[in-house]
Amino acid sequence: MAKIDLELDGHSYAIHIEARLFEDIGRRLAQYASRGALHIITDKDVGAIYTDHFTEQLSVYGISAHFYVLPVGEDAKSWGELEKLTDWLIANQVNRKDTIVALGGGVVGDITGFASAIIKRGCQFVQIPTTLLAQVDSSVGGKTAINSKAGKNLVGAFHQPVAVYIDPDVLKTLPERHMRAGYAEVVKYGLINDERFFDWCYKNSPHILARDPEALEYAIAHSVKAKADIVAQDERETANVRALLNLGHTFAHALEAETGYSDKLFHGEAVALGMILAHDFSAQLGLCSKDDAKRVAEHIAASGLPASLAGLGLTNKGDILFAHMQHDKKRVGDALPFILSRGIGRAFFADNIAAESAKAFLKTAK
Ligand code: NAD
Ligand code: GLY
C-alpha cells in the first residue's frame, strides 16, 4: 500500500496504490458524491467487467452514478466521441460540484480528462486507471487529449485529477500484450534517471509480467513516484524537465503514425522500440556507450516487446519515418527535440540535433 502526493501549486493530489482497493471503491467515491453527482466514464470492455461492481459498491452508500461507455481503443480519442461524451454530460446536467470519473486505460483517461477540462469551463475529475500503462504513466500528471487528423494528442489541455486510485489487482484481466506495452513505460523511469531501478527491472521483469503482487506493487509505486517527482518540477513542460518523460517518443510517434495508430503497434510498444532507437542514436552520436545501448535493446526484446524496425517490416523506411517526425508537436524550427542518453539512467533533453543526422540514422537503423 502506498500513497504518493503530487505537490503542485494550488492543486496537489494523492495517488493511492493498494491491492484490492476496488473492494472498497464505494467508500472512496462516496466523498465526491457528497458534493455532487458522479459521472463514470469507461470503455466497453472495462465497463463489462466493472459496471455492476461499482453500482453495487456505490449503492451501499445510497449513491447511484451515471455511467457512459466509450468504444474500445485509440479511435475513441476523437472529436466525434468527445462531442458525444460532452453532449451526454450536458444532458445529465453536469455542474462544477460533480465529479467525473475515468475508469479504464489511457484512452479513457485522456478523453475523459479533456472533457472534464472543457465542460462547463472545467469540472473536477478522478482517475481510476485499469491498465499498467495508465497506472504508471497516463493517469498521473494531468496531460489530457484527443487526436486530430494531423496526429496524436494534438488537441488537449493540462487538467489535473483531484485523486488517482490504483488497484494493481485489476491487471489480472489485462491481456498479456497490453501488460507488456505498459511495462515499457515502467522501464522508461529506470532509463531516464535511475539506473538502480533499471537493474531491478532487468532482474524482476518476469515477476512483474507474471503479475506477482509484490513485484507489481513495487514497480507501480516506484514509477508513480518517479513521475510525480518530475511533474512536480515542471508541470507544464516548460523547463525541459518533464520532457524527459518523452524518452523514445519522437521515434515512437513516427512509428505509430506509420502503423496508423492501430493495434499493429500499441503506444507502449512504440515507446519500447523508440527507447532502443534513442539509445542507438545516442551511441552513434558518441554520447552513450554501445554496451549500454545493447543492454537496453536486450532487455526490451527479452520482455517480449518490439525491438527492431525489421520486426515491424519498417526497415528501409527511414525517409518515411523521418517525414512523420516533422510533425512532432515539440519541433521548433529545423531542430528536432530528442531525449537522448549518456548511458542507462542518464537521459537528457537535446534541442540541437540537426534533422539531417536523425534522417541518416533512421536510414541505417535495423
Ligand atoms: P487503452 O486505454 O486502449 O487500453 C488497452 C485495452 O485494455 C483496451 O482494450 C481496454 O478496454 C482494455 N482494458 C483496460 N483495462 C483492462 C483490464 N483491467 N482488464 C481487461 N482489459 C482492460 O490503452 P492504454 O495502453 O492504457 O493507453 C494508451 C493511451 O494512453 C494512448 O492513447 C496514449 O496516447 C495515452 N497516453 C497518455 C499519457 C498521458 O500522460 N496522458 C501517457 C501515456 C500514454
Ligand atoms: N507521458 C508524458 C508526460 O506525462 O509528460
Side-chain angles (χ1 to χ4, degrees):
M1 187 201 304
K3 178 176 159 284
I4 293 160
D5 293 313
L6 176 41
E7 305 286 352
L8 295 167
D9 212 7
H11 44 268
S12 301
Y13 56 93
I15 300 133
H16 306 267
I17 304 162
E18 194 177 326
R20 295 180 301 287
L21 181 151
F22 269 35
E23 287 174 11
D24 189 28
I25 198 70
R27 181 181 64 81
R28 310 269 180 162
L29 291 178
Q31 62 186 298
Y32 307 105
S34 65
R35 69 193 285 276
L38 286 184
H39 309 272
I40 302 181
I41 320 301
T42 187
D43 75 17
K44 197 161 154 287
D45 290 354
V46 178
I49 306 174
Y50 288 113
T51 304
D52 289 350
H53 176 71
F54 272 56
T55 304
E56 276 164 32
Q57 275 275 315
L58 288 165
S59 72
V60 173
Y61 296 87
I63 300 159
S64 114
H66 306 124
F67 283 88
Y68 183 87
V69 181
L70 289 159
V72 169
E74 191 67 31
D75 288 350
K77 281 173 59 174
S78 68
W79 281 110
E81 292 302 331
L82 181 70
E83 184 178 13
K84 283 191 249 171
L85 172 56
T86 48
D87 281 351
W88 178 84
L89 286 165
I90 291 164
N92 272 323
Q93 300 180 330
V94 68
N95 68 64
R96 289 198 195 148
K97 293 213 155 134
D98 293 355
T99 303
I100 301 172
V101 178
L103 170 65
V107 164
V108 171
D110 277 10
I111 181 173
T112 303
F114 187 45
S116 308
I118 58 177
I119 197 84
K120 303 278 170 88
R121 296 206 174 88
C123 286
Q124 71 169 28
F125 89 115
V126 166
Q127 287 269 21
I128 308 186
T130 62
T131 63
L132 181 57
L133 181 141
Q135 295 188 344
V136 299
D137 188 358
S138 62
S139 65
V140 175
K143 277 192 182 175
T144 74
I146 57 165
N147 304 324
S148 88
K149 273 192 227 118
K152 227 171 115 74
N153 297 333
L154 291 181
V155 180
F158 285 98
H159 186 56
Q160 300 291 345
V162 292
V164 183
Y165 294 102
I166 298 177
D167 181 348
D169 266 17
V170 306
L171 301 178
K172 278 181 187 152
T173 53
L174 188 68
E176 184 69 30
R177 196 177 149 203
H178 281 295
M179 194 67 197
R180 292 181 192 281
Y183 177 66
E185 302 279 12
V186 173
V187 176
K188 186 180 79 177
Y189 296 108
L191 294 176
I192 290 174
N193 61 6
D194 190 346
E195 188 175 6
R196 276 182 62 187
F197 185 57
F198 178 81
D199 291 341
W200 182 86
C201 288
Y202 203 95
K203 289 193 197 99
N204 288 283
S205 62
H207 304 297
I208 299 169
L209 293 168
R211 299 157 225 227
D212 169 74
E214 216 176 295
L216 203 48
E217 197 165 324
Y218 178 78
I220 295 168
H222 196 95
S223 301
V224 166
K225 176 84 175 68
K227 176 144 188 188
D229 284 349
I230 288 177
V231 173
Q233 292 173 59
D234 181 16
E235 183 185 358
R236 296 207 164 213
E237 209 169 305
T238 50
N240 295 344
V241 177
R242 185 166 181 163
L244 294 174
L245 294 170
N246 297 328
L247 176 63
H249 283 59
T250 305
F251 292 111
H253 285 157
L255 296 167
E256 287 183 274
E258 185 52 23
T259 48
Y261 303 104
S262 67
D263 57 10
K264 276 191 206 147
L265 189 68
F266 294 148
H267 176 73
E269 295 174 332
V271 169
L273 180 49
M275 292 191 298
I276 293 178
L277 293 170
H279 284 82
D280 285 348
F281 187 31
S282 302
Q284 193 179 85
L285 293 170
L287 295 164
C288 128
S289 75
K290 287 193 174 133
D291 281 353
D292 273 2
K294 198 167 153 228
R295 196 151 186 256
V296 173
E298 273 170 6
H299 180 54
I300 285 173
S303 307
L305 284 157
S308 69
L309 290 175
L312 297 173
L314 293 178
T315 29
N316 304 322
K317 289 211 171 175
D319 281 339
I320 297 172
L321 293 174
F322 182 73
H324 289 304
M325 281 184 181
Q326 306 303 304
H327 300 297
D328 194 296
K329 61 181 173 300
K330 293 167 194 97
R331 185 195 164 117
V332 184
D334 277 342
L336 277 168
F338 275 102
I339 307 305
L340 296 178
S341 179
R342 298 193 175 90
I344 289 170
R346 296 173 63 206
F348 68 100
F349 179 81
D351 59 358
N352 57 352
I353 300 300
E356 283 308 311
S357 64
K359 190 174 183 179
F361 166 72
L362 274 174
K363 279 182 156 184
T364 56
K366 304 284 179 231

